[in-house]
Amino acid sequence: MSAAGGWHPLAGPLRSWGHFVRRPPATQIRTVLLVVVVLGGTIAWIATSPSSSSTAPAATYRAGALVPVDQASTSSRGVTAATINIGFPVVSLSSLAGQEGFAADVEFGQQVEAIDLFVNQINRDGGIDGRRINPIIASYDPASESSMRALCKTWTEGSPAVFAVLDGIGAWTGDNQLCITQEGHTPFIGEWTTVTSWTDQGSPYLWWTGPDQSAILRAVVAWGESAHLLGGSRKVGVIAGDRASDQAALDDVVLPALRRVGVDPVVVTIAADPSETATTDAEAPLVVQRFRSDGIDTVLPIIPFNVFFPLLQAESSQGYYPRLLLSDYESSIEVALGLMPVPFAQALNGQEGLTTETLGGVDDDRPTAKGGYDPGLRTCWKAWHKRYPQIPPGTLSFYIEEQGPIADWCQAIHLFATAARAAGRDLNRRSFVTAMSKVTDFPGTVTPVLSYGPDKRYGPTEYQVVRLHINTPPTTQCKMPLDRIPQGTCWVTVKPFTPLPDT
């Protein structure tokens, strides 16, 4: 992709494309479609955004009782003496999300090849106790909730029956996860996440490779206090979306955490559903005006992307730039990089946030300590390069994207295989989820290490703090790529990986 002359809403992502294409595909969908919403493309956003609740009714976000793994179904549906049927939902390249989010991402078009490669790798190594994984790959349009639900019902109730569903890139979201798990009693491993009550409702079948947002928000507060961005003389504001998920995060996680550190914030709720775009755009300047008049120094956003953009617009128009506590909540720290240097350099340059991901690395053979691949990702790359040794068209090297689709699918497939092998020859839903609850220190790709437990349904165990940096003029803060063309923007590690708080 190349930027057209003059400013337009996609200028930020376009100018940062070298970094943007290494971000998880789910984030690419969200970032590009963010601007579609701001410009009035509400239907597209509602259909494709993997936000915490934009497609889910409020009733879904009730506190769910955690079902223990030893109460899982003992059904072996989808398992035969020789095979294990696994569903792989892959976003159609012809869909809006495929066209808008991944038009220039070579790896997006290589997802089927990646799935086949890593599945065949497991099958060649003896499979799962002699059973071969039978990948049932289904192309789907995330703009169609009805087709996604129909696919869920086919897998969980119809034919071909599947034993589990894997979503490496995080595009199978919201109620669609609960359709597989809560309704279909089928194991699901996916990247998209929200707060703990969601995995409680999908328990014991729902497992995330991404972080539980309850843990993320608690970590945000702990980091904010330690960095002196909360407490003392600093005045704190919290802006929360009016979605049920955002309000649950506010009431159940953020406010209690702030109270524990003695912070009484100014809390403002803003319209956050994409169908309320006009209301959101009208409220954003008023929120910023109130924070500015109240002398707010630090703002903790609990908002989706369709609110983040007009909020930054309002800050820029009013010349008010508080410290933002960014994070993996709605991937605000990732998306922020795509919105600078244009149009929000002043609002975002130097801002910091925390993430469980390996942000700031590079796609080459330098050692991990110098920003190269983590061990799990290096293993995936070696397998990919052995099968596809030539430089893929449109890329600068044969290295896979550190946070791209190939790495994502490799992680999900090998995580499933690890648990399935541990379940033993008597593979059924109960033996599998019991084995998942015992997976620890799994070498991840997007995240360095994944560990689970009987009451821990998300993998990441650590987070790091990174700072957004505009690399003009070029500095050593941004790692130099092999092509020797300096990065225009980058993340700079401020605090190395440290344990996440419990949920």
Side-chain angles (χ1 to χ4, degrees), residues 66-122:
L66 182 66
V67 179
V69 293
D70 62 6
Q71 293 183 21
S73 166
T74 57
S75 169
S76 59
R77 187 174 187 273
V79 177
T80 71
T83 61
I84 306 171
N85 289 344
I86 304 295
F88 290 91
V90 175
V91 175
S92 171
L93 190 60
S94 63
S95 69
L96 177 63
Q99 293 172 344
E100 299 296 330
F102 309 100
D105 187 352
V106 173
E107 285 195 20
F108 181 73
Q110 298 173 324
Q111 290 186 80
V112 173
E113 289 87 345
I115 293 170
D116 286 339
L117 171 66
F118 297 118
V119 166
N120 289 335
Q121 183 183 34
I122 291 168

Side-chain angles (χ1 to χ4, degrees), residues 128-168:
I128 309 297
D129 283 308
R131 295 186 176 101
R132 293 175 56 84
I133 294 177
N134 176 35
I136 301 175
I137 301 173
S139 176
Y140 73 99
D141 181 1
S144 173
E145 287 292 318
S146 60
S147 65
M148 292 177 73
R149 183 166 180 82
L151 182 56
C152 161
K153 290 300 182 181
T154 295
W155 281 341
T156 59
E157 298 176 9
S159 179
V162 301
F163 174 73
V165 176
L166 307 185
D167 174 33

Side-chain angles (χ1 to χ4, degrees), residues 4-16:
W7 180 87
H8 61 86
L10 291 179
L14 294 174
R15 292 191 181 197
S16 298

Side-chain angles (χ1 to χ4, degrees), residues 64-367:
L66 182 66
V67 179
V69 293
D70 62 6
Q71 293 183 21
S73 166
T74 57
S75 169
S76 59
R77 187 174 187 273
V79 177
T80 71
T83 61
I84 306 171
N85 289 344
I86 304 295
F88 290 91
V90 175
V91 175
S92 171
L93 190 60
S94 63
S95 69
L96 177 63
Q99 293 172 344
E100 299 296 330
F102 309 100
D105 187 352
V106 173
E107 285 195 20
F108 181 73
Q110 298 173 324
Q111 290 186 80
V112 173
E113 289 87 345
I115 293 170
D116 286 339
L117 171 66
F118 297 118
V119 166
N120 289 335
Q121 183 183 34
I122 291 168
N123 288 340
R124 286 194 304 269
D125 291 340
I128 309 297
D129 283 308
R131 295 186 176 101
R132 293 175 56 84
I133 294 177
N134 176 35
I136 301 175
I137 301 173
S139 176
Y140 73 99
D141 181 1
S144 173
E145 287 292 318
S146 60
S147 65
M148 292 177 73
R149 183 166 180 82
L151 182 56
C152 161
K153 290 300 182 181
T154 295
W155 281 341
T156 59
E157 298 176 9
S159 179
V162 301
F163 174 73
V165 176
L166 307 185
D167 174 33
I169 70 171
W172 193 274
T173 66
D175 280 340
N176 300 299
Q177 288 190 351
L178 296 184
C179 177
I180 298 289
T181 57
Q182 187 182 52
E183 297 179 41
H185 295 170
T186 298
F188 177 91
I189 296 175
E191 185 181 344
W192 179 86
T193 71
T194 181
V195 292
T196 309
S197 61
W198 201 262
T199 44
D200 287 353
Q201 291 177 70
S203 63
Y205 309 104
L206 179 54
W207 303 87
W208 287 333
T209 56
D212 186 306
Q213 298 302 324
S214 297
I216 288 296
L217 292 172
R218 288 189 176 92
V220 166
V221 173
W223 155 60
E225 182 189 25
S226 66
H228 306 293
L229 300 176
L230 298 173
S233 61
R234 296 192 71 87
K235 294 184 178 180
V236 179
V238 176
I239 177 171
D242 64 355
R243 304 175 308 170
S245 58
D246 298 328
Q247 291 296 305
L250 173 69
D251 295 335
D252 299 342
V253 182
V254 172
L255 291 181
L258 289 174
R259 292 190 197 103
R260 283 193 291 271
V261 297
V263 174
D264 183 18
V266 173
V267 179
V268 177
T269 295
I270 188 169
D273 192 280
S275 64
E276 302 175 298
T277 299
T279 303
T280 303
D281 291 347
E283 291 179 350
L286 301 179
V287 171
V288 171
Q289 184 178 15
R290 177 177 177 184
F291 282 166
R292 184 180 184 183
S293 64
D294 287 349
I296 298 299
D297 304 299
T298 300
V299 173
L300 197 166
I302 313 175
I303 52 176
F305 301 109
N306 53 304
V307 181
F308 190 43
F309 194 92
L311 183 70
L312 293 173
Q313 283 184 315
E315 287 187 1
S316 299
S317 65
Q318 297 184 35
Y320 165 70
Y321 306 110
R323 289 299 299 269
L324 300 175
L325 300 183
L326 302 175
S327 71
D328 281 343
Y329 191 89
E330 293 288 357
S331 298
S332 60
I333 186 62
E334 293 189 53
V335 173
L337 190 72
L339 298 176
M340 51 182 274
V342 177
F344 300 124
Q346 284 186 281
L348 293 175
N349 188 38
Q351 296 282 9
E352 298 177 357
L354 64 83
T355 178
T356 61
E357 299 181 0
T358 52
L359 300 183
V362 287
D363 302 324
D364 59 39
D365 57 2
R366 71 190 71 184

Side-chain angles (χ1 to χ4, degrees), residues 393-473:
T395 64
L396 296 176
S397 77
F398 54 78
Y399 295 97
I400 61 177
E401 298 167 7
E402 185 184 44
Q403 304 271 334
I406 295 171
D408 290 335
W409 282 114
C410 181
Q411 175 178 264
I413 291 167
H414 281 281
L415 177 61
F416 169 81
T418 296
R421 284 169 175 155
R425 183 64 186 173
D426 184 18
L427 180 63
N428 57 50
R429 280 148 176 76
R430 182 178 298 179
S431 64
F432 176 78
V433 298
T434 299
M436 270 296 298
S437 72
K438 298 177 181 178
V439 172
T440 58
D441 299 323
F442 177 84
T445 58
V446 175
T447 298
V449 176
L450 304 177
S451 289
Y452 299 87
D455 299 323
K456 184 177 183 291
R457 310 301 168 88
Y458 62 99
T461 61
E462 298 180 312
Y463 71 90
Q464 65 172 328
V465 178
V466 295
R467 182 176 66 252
L468 299 169
H469 176 67
I470 296 177
N471 198 36
T472 305

